[in-house]
Every structure is written in C-alpha cells, then in structure tokens.
Amino acid sequence: MQRAAREEGIHIKAVHAMRFKIDQIKRQANYAKLYGDAAARRRYHRFGCTEHHLGTALDVAAGTYEGVTTPKEDAYKWVLENGSKFGFVVRKVTVKIEKVAYLHMRHLENQPLVELLKKHNISIEVYLTNYEQYKK
C-alpha cells in the first residue's frame, strides 16, 4: 500500500501495527504516570483485547519520503479511497481527519466484504449488527 501511494506522489507511513504484551504494559504505565490510572485504562485496553494484539490492525499516518512531506489531509484521503484494494478498512468511518494523528485500519482477508464496507461507508460492527440489511 505504501509503494502504491508513493507511485501517486503520496507518502504514508505505518505508525503502529502488531503490538506485544510488554509494549502495551509500558504504554499504559507511561500514560498512567502522566494522566492517572483511570485515564490510562480508558485509553489502553488490556493486552489481548485489541486488533493490534491480533496482528490485524495498522495505524497509518502522513509521511515524508526523500524530503517531501505529504499533507495529512492528502495522505488520509488517499488511504480512505485506496486502502480497500489492499484489504484495509478504516475502523471508524466517521473519522474527522483534522482531529486525528493517524488512521486506525483493520485488515480483512475477505475482499468482497471489504468492498461492501467501503461501498456503504460502514464499519464491520455496523455490518454485523445489521447483517440482514446488507446481505443482498
């Protein structure tokens, strides 16, 4: 996906992908030092409870290549339009680009499902909750 974006003059980078238990514990502990335990528990799930632990998540941000930086809006627009070609769907379809540091993507092996989610601009949770509406 990164190579395809670069071919179109868009530079993106993977910020977070697979996360191991020790990484999650450190992140939560560091956040707790700054904002307190309750805030850390809200911000970071226990290990084993996120897509990052399953290896199915990828956080994508605007990047720089050979000194050229892509504006966040351009990078995210490209990812939103093209991520499905690589099996990635945005986790939250109502994302406000100006308010996020990166896009949280979920990888799905089922390409027809990826295309259906993109077509209807829905998350997999909405699809599963309203399966009868979308199964046609």
Side-chain angles (χ1 to χ4, degrees), residues 69-84:
T69 300
T70 298
K72 180 169 69 167
E73 292 78 11
D74 295 344
Y76 293 176
K77 181 179 178 187
W78 190 93
V79 170
L80 292 169
E81 290 176 3
N82 295 283
S84 63

Side-chain angles (χ1 to χ4, degrees), residues 36-63:
D37 288 335
R41 283 192 301 276
R42 283 191 304 272
R43 175 70 177 93
Y44 291 101
H45 296 289
R46 288 190 339 256
F47 180 77
C49 298
T50 76
E51 296 162 341
H52 285 288
H53 306 143
L54 297 173
T56 59
L58 176 65
D59 295 339
V60 178

